Amino acid sequence: MTAGVELAVPAWSGSLAADAEHLAAVAGAADQMLAELPVKPARDRDQAARAEEIHRVARQARAAFLAEHVDQVYTELTDGLRRRPRVTELALTAADLFPGLTPTSEQLAEEAELTQAEKEGREIDQGVFLSAVLRSPTAGRHLMESMLMPTTRALDLLDAFTAEGLVELGAVRMERSDGTTQLTVHNAHCLNAEDNELIADMETAVDLVLLDPCTRVGVLRGGVMTHPRYAGRRVFSAGINLKHLHEGRISFTGFLMGRELGYIHKIYRGLLSPGPDTWPHRFTHKPWVAAVDTFAIGGGAQLLLVFDYVLAASDAYFSLPAAQEGIVPGAGSFRMSRHTGARLTRQILLSGSKIWASSAEGRLVFDEVVPAEAMDSALEVVVRRLDSPAVQANRRILHTVEEPFDAFRGYLAEFAFEQALRLYGDDVIAKVGRRAGRSL
């Protein structure tokens, strides 16, 4: 290592151009120092501490720069708020226009080849950036609204789906019948656990439900499993794919931020209309039903909190074991207490308590519980009950009161930073390494 070279957070001038140069110099020096160290798995204790200190100073500089200039930065990244990039594109554009602010595509590509334990943790820098953007009322709202617009993939598929009422999206099958479109998750090899591909498929599917003029109600249900322990049974969701997390295949922007700002928020908030004619509402809302078979674990449990009606088989349960895994349970921490109250929420989030659908606690989340063999017929009744223009109007009002836009924005600002740190916590890496090796 170059003797005597140390990092320091610069004194900011207030000029965006000058301060961007200062930041680039700090980030460049940090990268040079890190390059002089062994790769992460080969570092001894002193070298690991040195790397941690380098990252700490560089990230402190990024956070301070953004505290001074985040709105100006965001304005440049979006061409005066005229462009609406999604989260991943926004973070990559920031690396191009403001060197050192976020990791480059080349740096991220290098990290993508490594396991989670081997990575330098450059996605934390994306977390610093997105946290600052979301904390800004102007930039944060613009980004959130951008993420509520339909994806290009959905727009490309819309005409075919509207005409045929059927589409296969990798891990999600969509089929429309009599005004209801059911999304059936078929990620059977991992008990419908969420991975990067499933998140992308789910957002496309949700977009299509909300765009399709022939769909009035959306339904989400897990498909039939082939796993030996659950063969022939439906499973709602096993949560995040821990094997992929261990292998470094869970994206911070595409998965962890993309699911919260993307398809889950769209189910709750609706789809931002892409055209200029948005009267009488800017957002397209539709009622949603979740049909829960067997279990809804982790991210699956988080999903239940945004649905208008949750139907469950009597032998089903949900749990949020994020604290045991070491990560933050998405927006579950924000939404759960609305359903279960503060004390039970702490038991669920901090202790990973398993809540059975048939229990009194379960009825706080599950609207209706029926025998497993009665799920199909009960689902038909629920859908007919929600297929009403009045339901759409009332859910719009309820959601405005329950979850104000800026309140959710404030939560996501904290979540972006905290989840980025947790993603690379030593305890998380150790836990997911052990849990990923276990069979479900």
Side-chain angles (χ1 to χ4, degrees):
M1 183 175 295
T2 306
V5 175
E6 296 295 337
L7 292 178
V9 177
W12 306 108
S13 67
S15 162
L16 176 61
D19 289 348
E21 287 186 12
H22 290 318
L23 176 63
V26 172
D31 283 343
Q32 180 180 346
M33 292 177 183
L34 290 169
E36 292 171 355
L37 292 170
V39 294
K40 186 177 177 182
R43 292 169 189 163
D44 60 28
R45 180 175 299 181
D46 290 342
Q47 291 167 335
R50 174 64 172 164
E52 185 175 342
E53 177 63 11
I54 292 168
H55 281 305
R56 186 193 68 78
V57 175
R59 286 166 185 156
Q60 184 180 355
R62 293 182 180 102
F65 170 78
L66 288 164
E68 289 276 337
H69 301 293
V70 66
D71 282 329
Q72 290 177 277
V73 167
Y74 190 83
T75 297
E76 289 205 16
L77 296 178
T78 58
D79 189 22
L81 306 184
R82 287 184 289 271
R83 292 182 59 250
R84 287 194 173 274
R86 291 175 60 82
V87 169
T88 299
E89 180 189 350
L90 181 73
L92 290 174
T93 303
D96 292 337
L97 295 187
F98 297 93
L101 181 56
T102 58
T104 65
S105 56
E106 292 78 15
Q107 289 172 323
L108 291 172
E110 290 176 6
E111 296 255 288
E113 300 298 318
L114 306 174
T115 68
Q116 199 69 12
E118 296 169 331
K119 294 182 181 184
E120 197 66 62
R122 295 191 181 276
E123 287 175 311
I124 295 174
D125 302 329
Q126 292 181 320
V128 172
F129 169 67
L130 291 175
S131 179
V133 168
L134 288 163
R135 197 170 288 116
S136 162
T138 300
R141 176 173 279 270
H142 188 272
L143 175 59
M144 290 176 68
E145 289 191 350
S146 298
M147 290 295 290
L148 289 172
M149 296 187 71
T151 58
T152 300
R153 183 186 182 198
L155 292 172
D156 289 342
L157 291 170
L158 179 59
D159 287 345
F161 177 69
T162 298
E164 300 170 13
L166 179 68
V167 67
E168 299 280 354
L169 297 170
V172 180
R173 186 177 194 270
M174 300 181 62
E175 186 171 9
R176 187 183 63 237
S177 176
D178 194 23
T180 297
T181 294
Q182 179 165 312
L183 281 54
T184 305
V185 181
H186 288 291
N187 224 15
H189 69 284
C190 55
L191 296 180
N192 285 344
E194 292 182 313
D195 50 32
N196 288 351
E197 293 73 23
L198 177 56
I199 295 302
D201 288 343
M202 280 296 299
E203 184 159 14
T204 301
V206 169
D207 284 352
L208 286 171
V209 167
L210 294 171
L211 289 166
D212 176 33
C214 303
T215 296
R216 299 184 299 274
V217 179
V219 173
L220 179 63
R221 194 174 187 185
V224 176
M225 297 294 102
T226 56
H227 188 287
R229 284 183 59 185
Y230 300 95
R233 296 177 60 185
R234 289 180 180 268
V235 165
F236 190 74
S237 173
I240 190 171
N241 190 319
L242 294 176
K243 183 173 185 291
H244 283 200
L245 179 55
H246 168 67
E247 293 171 350
R249 296 164 60 191
I250 295 296
S251 162
F252 174 69
T253 58
F255 183 114
L256 293 169
M257 294 303 299
R259 73 188 291 272
E260 302 302 333
L261 287 161
Y263 89 89
I264 297 179
H265 198 202
K266 287 174 176 177
I267 290 173
Y268 187 85
R269 188 81 55 185
L271 196 69
L272 184 65
S273 299
D277 183 11
T278 59
W279 193 89
H281 302 293
R282 296 182 68 218
F283 293 90
T284 301
H285 287 251
K286 292 179 184 178
W288 286 89
V289 179
V292 181
D293 301 276
T294 311
F295 53 69
I297 298 173
Q302 296 164 31
L303 272 175
L304 305 184
L305 306 178
V306 299
F307 278 81
D308 300 294
Y309 201 92
V310 181
L311 174 70
S314 55
D315 60 350
Y317 69 87
F318 80 86
S319 66
L320 273 170
Q324 287 69 51
E325 295 160 358
I327 58 178
V328 180
S333 305
F334 179 72
R335 295 180 172 127
M336 181 64 76
S337 61
R338 289 207 304 263
H339 298 260
T340 62
R343 186 52 52 193
L344 182 56
T345 293
R346 280 170 170 76
Q347 295 173 25
I348 293 169
L349 296 184
L350 303 183
S351 302
S353 299
K354 184 183 293 186
I355 307 296
W356 290 94
S358 55
S359 68
E361 294 83 359
R363 295 306 296 268
L364 298 173
V365 172
F366 299 112
D367 294 285
E368 184 179 353
V369 180
V370 300
E373 62 272 17
M375 283 288 285
D376 290 346
S377 58
L379 184 57
E380 291 180 7
V381 173
V382 171
V383 166
R384 286 198 298 271
R385 192 185 309 150
L386 293 183
D387 187 1
S388 162
V391 169
Q392 291 191 28
N394 280 281
R395 84 182 294 275
R396 180 180 291 110
I397 298 299
L398 281 171
H399 289 190
T400 300
V401 173
E402 286 179 343
E403 192 171 300
F405 204 96
D406 282 339
F408 188 45
R409 177 181 58 78
Y411 174 83
L412 289 177
E414 300 305 317
F415 170 79
F417 181 64
E418 199 64 48
Q419 189 73 303
L421 290 177
R422 288 282 72 217
L423 193 60
Y424 291 93
D426 291 340
D427 60 321
V428 173
I429 289 170
K431 288 175 181 176
V432 299
R434 291 192 298 268
R435 292 169 72 96
R438 301 176 190 167
S439 60
L440 290 166

